Amino acid sequence: MLQIISLVVVAITIYLLIKQYETRMVLIGSGLVMCLLALTPMAGLDAFSERMTSGSLIQAICASMGFAYVMKYTECDTHLVRTLTGMMSRMGFFLIPMTVVVTYFINIAIPSAAGCAAAVGATLIPLLIGARIHPAIAGAAVLSGTIGSFLSPGMSHNAFVSNLYNEVMVGTEGFTKMEVIDLIKHHAPISIAVGIIGAVSLSIVALVRKEFRIELAEGAEQGAEVKEKPKANYLYATAPFVPLILLLIAGLTDWFGAVKMTVPSAMVIGAIYALVITRCSPTAMTKQFFSGMGNAYGDVLGIIIAAAVFAAGLKVSGLIDSFIFFLTHHPELARWGGTIGPFLMGIITGSGDAAALAFNETVTRHAADLGYTIPDLGMAAAIAGALGRTMSPIAGVTIVCAGLAAANPVELIKRTAPGMLIAVCFVALFML
């Protein structure tokens, strides 16, 4: 009876998420209700307390967001966009795949999908429309590139999955602590392949629909012309990638000797580098850094904490044990449940984060019992959720791209959908 009632609670949770109610409120409320039904109310509160003090998660996510705020304050992210888009005006049809690639690349330095789309789209979408490419394709090109953040050390899923691996596997034979950069190296081939699928499929869609070299409405071409922009400062443009370069050097070479380069260390060094080259106010920059850290805790870690409370409710209700028992006897279903589930939730809710985090908190820690590894199952769920978000007409990033292209969000989704469907199947088949 308890499990049946808990299933009803889960169904209500999904409904509320679809209706765009506050994600953290819904997950925490649902988790606590299930804990109360199981007569163990402290289980959810203990999960809240435990997750809110996860040191490695707090360090990686908060420091990365602080650095992102510094990049915005110093306008180094803007100069990066100008640098990469400056030579693209004469590429014709190849502007479409190149826009996806450039957005993907910049999304590594600006992990926020909506933030990256706003920064890149303001320049590239008018450029594509001015090159007689259909506005919906122009917006979809930027939208398709907003999955590059999985190669960023500041991506919350990278920190979460690596932390989960260390938490579950510590003490086992042959265990070696997994750093965020180690996880990125592990899933990078799949993440890059997903980006390529997005670029190629959108180009094919444009060819099939004949949405390049279109005849623009009278006056539209002039309206789509890219306004004169200030020149890019190439030195400023290097700042967003300083932390990533430091972490890659530390992870791939022994140049730093015995010095251990952590994500917070790399972010602070990157912020200092930006301070030196831009000569901005140290006081203002420091305030921006810590403001970013605070917002990261509330907005990003808040969802992770809420997912932990929800997972605790599922655990004490017995649903997780029943689900794991079912999957251990039908392990092939974990391949599709771990990808299609977050993918569909990403489409329906406009965010794949909540579904992927809840799945990873509950199921991925049992990955070995299902015949998978935590890094593979965890990142497959996270990437699938992001692909679903890129196919959602109500996602914030979709609305940003549609607004910049002056197109209906549904029209953008019609063009990104083939690539996202192919990509999620690719993840399920080749990552798991």
Side-chain angles (χ1 to χ4, degrees):
M1 178 61 72
L2 175 60
Q3 292 190 10
I4 294 175
I5 297 175
S6 297
L7 282 173
V8 174
V9 173
V10 172
I12 293 173
T13 301
I14 295 172
Y15 173 79
L16 293 175
L17 290 174
I18 292 172
K19 289 296 185 178
Q20 301 289 296
Y21 282 85
E22 217 293 319
T23 302
R24 293 162 293 187
M25 176 193 70
V26 172
L27 292 176
I28 291 174
S30 301
L32 290 178
V33 167
M34 286 187 283
C35 289
L36 287 170
L37 290 171
L39 303 180
T40 55
M42 292 307 297
L45 299 176
D46 289 343
F48 186 100
S49 301
E50 180 181 350
R51 187 55 73 190
M52 72 181 292
T53 56
S54 299
S56 57
L57 279 177
I58 295 172
Q59 292 176 27
I61 295 173
C62 290
S64 298
M65 189 63 77
F67 177 74
Y69 270 53
V70 169
M71 292 300 97
K72 185 175 181 179
Y73 167 69
T74 58
E75 297 188 349
C76 288
D77 56 352
T78 303
H79 286 281
L80 172 63
V81 173
R82 292 173 186 164
T83 298
L84 294 178
T85 59
M87 302 298 292
M88 294 176 61
S89 59
R90 298 182 181 275
M91 296 187 68
F93 171 79
F94 293 100
L95 267 173
I96 298 171
M98 275 305 300
T99 295
V100 179
V101 171
V102 167
T103 306
Y104 185 99
F105 188 65
I106 292 175
N107 196 209
I108 300 174
I110 309 175
S112 165
C116 176
V120 176
T123 299
L124 283 185
I125 289 176
L127 181 65
L128 268 70
I129 296 174
R132 296 167 59 195
I133 291 169
H134 194 285
I137 287 288
V142 173
L143 177 60
S144 296
T146 56
I147 51 177
S149 57
F150 282 97
L151 298 182
S152 170
M155 180 62 167
S156 60
H157 292 288
N158 287 325
F160 183 86
V161 174
S162 60
N163 182 71
L164 181 64
Y165 173 84
N166 295 329
E167 177 186 319
V168 173
M169 301 303 292
V170 64
T172 59
E173 184 178 354
F175 169 75
T176 302
K177 184 178 181 181
M178 176 174 281
E179 302 291 347
V180 171
I181 198 68
D182 298 324
L183 179 64
I184 292 174
K185 287 189 291 183
H186 178 78
H187 69 72
I190 296 293
S191 297
I192 293 171
V194 165
I196 293 172
I197 290 171
V200 173
S201 65
L202 187 65
S203 301
I204 293 173
V205 168
L207 283 171
V208 171
R209 297 176 67 104
K210 299 179 180 179
E211 292 185 332
F212 65 101
R213 295 180 181 174
I214 62 172
E215 292 297 327
L216 297 176
E218 185 177 353
E221 188 166 0
Q222 287 76 17
E225 290 179 359
V226 181
K227 295 179 181 179
E228 188 69 26
K229 298 283 186 180
K231 291 185 178 180
N233 185 309
Y234 299 134
L235 183 60
Y236 287 15
T238 63
F241 288 104
V242 168
L244 179 61
I245 292 171
L246 290 174
L247 290 169
L248 286 174
I249 292 174
L252 300 176
T253 73
D254 57 358
W255 291 1
F256 295 150
V259 176
K260 183 179 179 181
M261 183 62 64
T262 62
V263 173
S265 301
M267 298 300 166
V268 171
I269 292 173
I272 294 173
Y273 174 80
L275 173 65
V276 171
I277 63 174
T278 62
R279 291 165 293 178
C280 63
S281 166
T283 300
M285 193 200 77
T286 302
K287 289 180 179 179
Q288 287 294 322
F289 189 91
F290 282 97
S291 177
M293 288 181 64
N295 286 337
Y297 194 95
D299 296 339
V300 182
L301 278 162
I303 296 178
I304 294 174
I305 293 168
V309 177
F310 182 68
L314 293 175
K315 178 70 176 175
V316 298
S317 69
L319 285 179
I320 289 180
D321 293 336
S322 298
F323 189 54
I324 296 300
F325 179 81
F326 175 78
L327 289 180
T328 53
H329 287 77
H330 304 85
E332 184 61 24
L333 293 180
R335 176 194 304 273
W336 301 105
T339 50
I340 300 301
F343 178 75
L344 291 177
M345 285 300 293
I347 295 173
I348 294 169
T349 66
S351 170
D353 288 346
L357 287 169
F359 181 88
N360 287 335
E361 185 73 57
T362 54
V363 179
T364 300
R365 61 175 60 249
H366 303 283
D369 298 330
L370 307 177
Y372 301 109
T373 66
I374 289 176
D376 285 341
L377 187 57
M379 292 312 300
I383 293 172
L387 293 172
R389 177 263 297 161
T390 311
M391 196 175 146
S392 172
I394 63 173
V397 62
T398 304
I399 294 170
V400 169
C401 292
L404 291 170
N408 189 313
V410 175
E411 293 301 315
L412 271 65
I413 298 310
K414 288 180 182 178
R415 290 153 177 83
T416 62
M420 300 306 106
L421 290 169
I422 294 170
V424 74
C425 292
F426 174 83
V427 170
L429 293 172
F430 291 95
M431 196 170 189
L432 299 176

